[in-house]
Coordinates of all heavy atoms in Angstrom, one line a residue:
G177 N 88.3 90.5 102.3 CA 87.5 89.4 101.7 C 88.3 88.7 100.7 O 89.2 89.3 100.0
L178 N 88.1 87.4 100.4 CA 88.8 86.6 99.4 C 87.9 86.4 98.3 O 86.7 85.8 98.5 CB 89.3 85.3 100.1 CG 90.2 84.4 99.3 CD1 91.5 85.1 98.9 CD2 90.5 83.1 100.1
V179 N 88.3 86.7 97.1 CA 87.4 86.5 95.9 C 87.1 85.1 95.7 O 88.0 84.2 95.7 CB 88.1 87.1 94.6 CG1 87.2 86.9 93.4 CG2 88.3 88.6 94.8
N180 N 85.8 84.7 95.6 CA 85.4 83.4 95.5 C 84.2 83.3 94.5 O 83.6 84.3 94.2 CB 85.1 82.8 96.8 CG 85.2 81.3 96.9 OD1 85.2 80.6 95.8 ND2 85.1 80.7 98.1
I181 N 83.8 82.1 94.2 CA 82.6 81.9 93.3 C 81.3 81.7 94.1 O 80.3 81.5 93.5 CB 82.8 80.7 92.3 CG1 83.1 79.4 93.1 CG2 84.0 81.0 91.4 CD1 83.1 78.2 92.3
G182 N 81.4 81.8 95.4 CA 80.2 81.7 96.2 C 80.5 82.0 97.7 O 81.7 81.9 98.0
A183 N 79.5 82.2 98.5 CA 79.8 82.5 99.9 C 79.9 81.2 100.7 O 80.4 81.3 101.9 CB 78.7 83.4 100.4
E184 N 79.4 80.1 100.2 CA 79.4 78.9 101.0 C 80.8 78.4 101.2 O 81.7 78.5 100.4 CB 78.6 77.8 100.2 CG 77.2 78.1 100.0 CD 76.9 78.9 98.7 OE1 77.9 79.4 98.1 OE2 75.8 79.0 98.3
E185 N 81.0 77.7 102.4 CA 82.3 77.2 102.8 C 82.9 76.3 101.8 O 84.1 76.2 101.6 CB 82.2 76.5 104.2 CG 81.9 77.5 105.4 CD 83.2 78.2 105.8 OE1 84.3 77.6 105.5 OE2 83.1 79.3 106.3
E186 N 82.1 75.4 101.2 CA 82.6 74.4 100.3 C 83.0 74.9 98.9 O 83.5 74.2 98.1 CB 81.6 73.3 100.1 CG 80.3 73.6 99.4 CD 79.2 74.2 100.3 OE1 79.6 74.5 101.5 OE2 78.1 74.3 99.9
K187 N 82.6 76.2 98.6 CA 82.9 76.8 97.3 C 84.4 77.1 97.2 O 85.1 77.4 98.1 CB 82.1 78.0 97.1 CG 80.6 77.7 96.9 CD 80.3 77.1 95.6 CE 78.8 76.9 95.3 NZ 78.1 78.1 95.0
G188 N 84.9 77.2 95.9 CA 86.2 77.6 95.6 C 87.1 76.5 95.2 O 86.9 75.3 95.4
N189 N 88.3 76.9 94.5 CA 89.3 75.9 94.1 C 90.2 75.6 95.3 O 90.0 76.1 96.4 CB 90.0 76.4 92.9 CG 90.7 77.7 93.1 OD1 90.9 78.2 94.3 ND2 91.0 78.4 92.1
A190 N 91.2 74.8 95.1 CA 92.1 74.4 96.1 C 92.8 75.5 96.7 O 93.0 75.6 98.0 CB 93.1 73.3 95.6
L191 N 93.3 76.5 95.9 CA 94.0 77.7 96.4 C 93.1 78.5 97.3 O 93.6 78.9 98.4 CB 94.4 78.5 95.2 CG 95.0 79.9 95.5 CD1 96.3 79.8 96.3 CD2 95.3 80.7 94.2
V192 N 91.9 78.8 96.9 CA 91.0 79.6 97.7 C 90.7 78.9 99.0 O 90.7 79.6 100.1 CB 89.7 79.9 96.9 CG1 88.7 80.6 97.8 CG2 90.0 80.9 95.7
K193 N 90.4 77.6 99.0 CA 90.0 76.9 100.2 C 91.2 76.9 101.2 O 91.0 77.1 102.4 CB 89.6 75.5 99.9 CG 88.3 75.4 99.2 CD 88.0 73.9 98.8 CE 86.6 73.8 98.1 NZ 86.3 72.4 97.8
A194 N 92.4 76.7 100.7 CA 93.6 76.7 101.6 C 93.8 78.1 102.2 O 94.1 78.2 103.3 CB 94.8 76.2 100.8
A195 N 93.8 79.1 101.3 CA 94.0 80.5 101.7 C 92.9 80.9 102.7 O 93.2 81.6 103.7 CB 94.0 81.4 100.5
M196 N 91.7 80.4 102.5 CA 90.6 80.8 103.4 C 90.9 80.3 104.9 O 90.7 81.1 105.8 CB 89.3 80.1 103.0 CG 88.1 80.5 103.7 SD 87.4 82.1 103.1 CE 87.0 81.7 101.4
F207 N 89.1 89.4 108.9 CA 88.8 88.6 107.7 C 87.3 88.2 107.7 O 86.8 87.6 108.7 CB 89.6 87.3 107.6 CG 89.4 86.5 106.4 CD1 89.7 87.0 105.2 CD2 88.9 85.2 106.6 CE1 89.5 86.2 104.0 CE2 88.7 84.4 105.5 CZ 89.0 84.9 104.2
G209 N 85.7 86.4 105.1 CA 85.5 85.3 104.3 C 85.4 85.6 102.8 O 86.1 86.5 102.3
S210 N 84.5 84.8 102.1 CA 84.4 85.0 100.7 C 83.7 86.2 100.3 O 82.8 86.7 101.0 CB 83.7 83.7 100.1 OG 84.4 82.6 100.3
V211 N 84.0 86.7 99.1 CA 83.3 87.8 98.5 C 83.2 87.5 97.0 O 84.2 87.2 96.3 CB 84.0 89.2 98.7 CG1 85.4 89.2 98.2 CG2 83.2 90.3 98.0
E212 N 82.0 87.5 96.5 CA 81.7 87.3 95.1 C 82.0 88.5 94.3 O 81.8 89.7 94.8 CB 80.3 86.8 94.8 CG 80.0 85.4 95.5 CD 78.6 85.0 95.2 OE1 78.4 84.5 94.0 OE2 77.7 85.0 96.1
A213 N 82.4 88.4 93.0 CA 82.8 89.5 92.2 C 81.6 90.6 92.1 O 81.9 91.8 92.2 CB 83.1 89.0 90.8
R214 N 80.4 90.1 92.1 CA 79.3 91.0 92.0 C 79.1 91.9 93.2 O 78.4 92.9 93.2 CB 78.0 90.3 91.6 CG 77.5 89.3 92.7 CD 76.3 88.5 92.3 NE 75.9 87.6 93.3 CZ 75.1 86.6 93.1 NH1 74.6 86.4 91.9 NH2 74.7 85.8 94.1
D215 N 79.6 91.4 94.3 CA 79.4 92.1 95.6 C 80.5 93.1 95.9 O 80.4 93.9 96.8 CB 79.3 91.1 96.8 CG 78.1 90.2 96.7 OD1 77.1 90.7 96.2 OD2 78.2 89.0 97.0
I216 N 81.6 93.0 95.1 CA 82.7 93.9 95.3 C 82.3 95.4 95.2 O 82.7 96.3 96.0 CB 83.9 93.7 94.3 CG1 84.5 92.3 94.6 CG2 85.0 94.7 94.4 CD1 85.5 91.8 93.6
V224 N 90.1 93.5 99.0 CA 89.7 92.3 98.2 C 91.0 91.5 97.7 O 91.8 92.1 97.0 CB 88.8 92.7 97.0 CG1 88.5 91.4 96.2 CG2 87.5 93.3 97.5
V225 N 91.1 90.3 98.1 CA 92.3 89.5 97.8 C 92.1 88.4 96.8 O 91.0 87.8 96.8 CB 92.8 88.8 99.1 CG1 94.1 88.0 98.8 CG2 93.1 89.9 100.2
A226 N 93.0 88.3 95.9 CA 92.9 87.3 94.8 C 94.3 87.0 94.3 O 95.2 87.8 94.5 CB 92.0 87.7 93.7
D227 N 94.5 85.9 93.5 CA 95.7 85.7 92.8 C 95.6 86.7 91.6 O 94.5 87.2 91.2 CB 95.8 84.3 92.3 CG 94.7 83.8 91.4 OD1 94.8 84.2 90.2 OD2 93.8 83.1 91.8
V230 N 92.9 86.1 88.6 CA 91.5 86.5 88.9 C 91.4 88.0 89.2 O 90.5 88.6 88.7 CB 91.1 85.7 90.2 CG1 89.7 86.3 90.7 CG2 91.0 84.2 89.9
V234 N 89.1 90.7 87.2 CA 88.1 91.6 87.9 C 88.3 93.0 87.6 O 87.4 93.8 87.3 CB 88.2 91.3 89.4 CG1 87.4 92.4 90.2 CG2 87.7 89.9 89.8

Side-chain angles (χ1 to χ4, degrees):
L178 189 61
V179 178
N180 203 347
I181 58 173
E184 299 87 346
E185 288 283 335
E186 67 273 11
K187 289 291 185 69
N189 56 21
L191 171 63
V192 170
K193 289 179 179 179
M196 189 80 64
F207 183 63
S210 297
V211 56
E212 295 184 74
R214 67 186 177 192
D215 295 325
I216 295 175
V224 175
V225 180
D227 62 78
V230 172
V234 169

